Amino acid sequence: MSVPDDLQYTAEHEWVRLEGDIATVGITQYAADSLGDVVYVELPAVGAALAAGAIVGEVESTKSVGELYAPLAGEVVEANQGVVDAPETINADPYGEGWLVKLRVSEPPALMTADDYRTLISA
């Protein structure tokens, strides 16, 4: 199972790629595999102010519905319409084309390293 070293992670199985003050957020391969075939994605609107830990959307699969949490506080600057139109992209490429939102953040996030996340999912 892929856990890229250049990303940060949350206990809710989301990943974050920080580039300057923009954080790209998605769900991990572990989460995508656990959900099964993703069939629906709901994302927050561009311009929405998100509080860290708040529920901001959902991912539905043939097995279950999972809530999306904001891994950090920020303003949504882009939502990936591609995954709304083709939810299966999350299963096929969770760390690439399957990203969910981009946030403008004011503070660096305090998240898990790849090693910390590997420990979490292997427990």
Side-chain angles (χ1 to χ4, degrees):
M1 179 162 321
S2 179
V3 179
D5 288 325
D6 64 329
L7 302 176
Q8 296 178 54
Y9 299 87
T10 70
E12 289 77 29
H13 308 291
E14 293 165 333
W15 58 264
V16 174
R17 177 180 293 115
L18 196 59
E19 297 171 293
D21 66 344
I22 302 296
T24 303
V25 179
I27 64 170
T28 65
Q29 181 180 359
Y30 176 87
D33 290 351
S34 296
L35 282 168
D37 295 332
V38 176
V39 296
Y40 175 79
V41 179
E42 179 184 311
L43 299 175
V46 171
L50 306 181
I55 297 171
V56 298
E58 68 181 29
V59 175
E60 293 183 17
S61 72
T62 54
K63 290 183 181 178
S64 66
V65 175
E67 294 173 329
L68 297 174
Y69 296 89
L72 53 147
E75 177 188 349
V76 177
V77 295
E78 190 174 350
N80 188 353
Q81 187 62 41
V83 298
V84 173
D85 295 340
E88 64 276 5
T89 306
I90 292 172
N91 296 108
D93 190 12
Y95 300 114
E97 294 299 314
W99 64 273
L100 301 174
V101 295
K102 293 186 181 188
L103 306 174
R104 181 176 319 282
V105 297
S106 55
E107 297 179 12
L111 302 169
M112 287 187 256
T113 65
D115 285 340
D116 293 338
Y117 186 70
R118 285 184 195 101
T119 299
L120 173 76
I121 63 175
S122 66

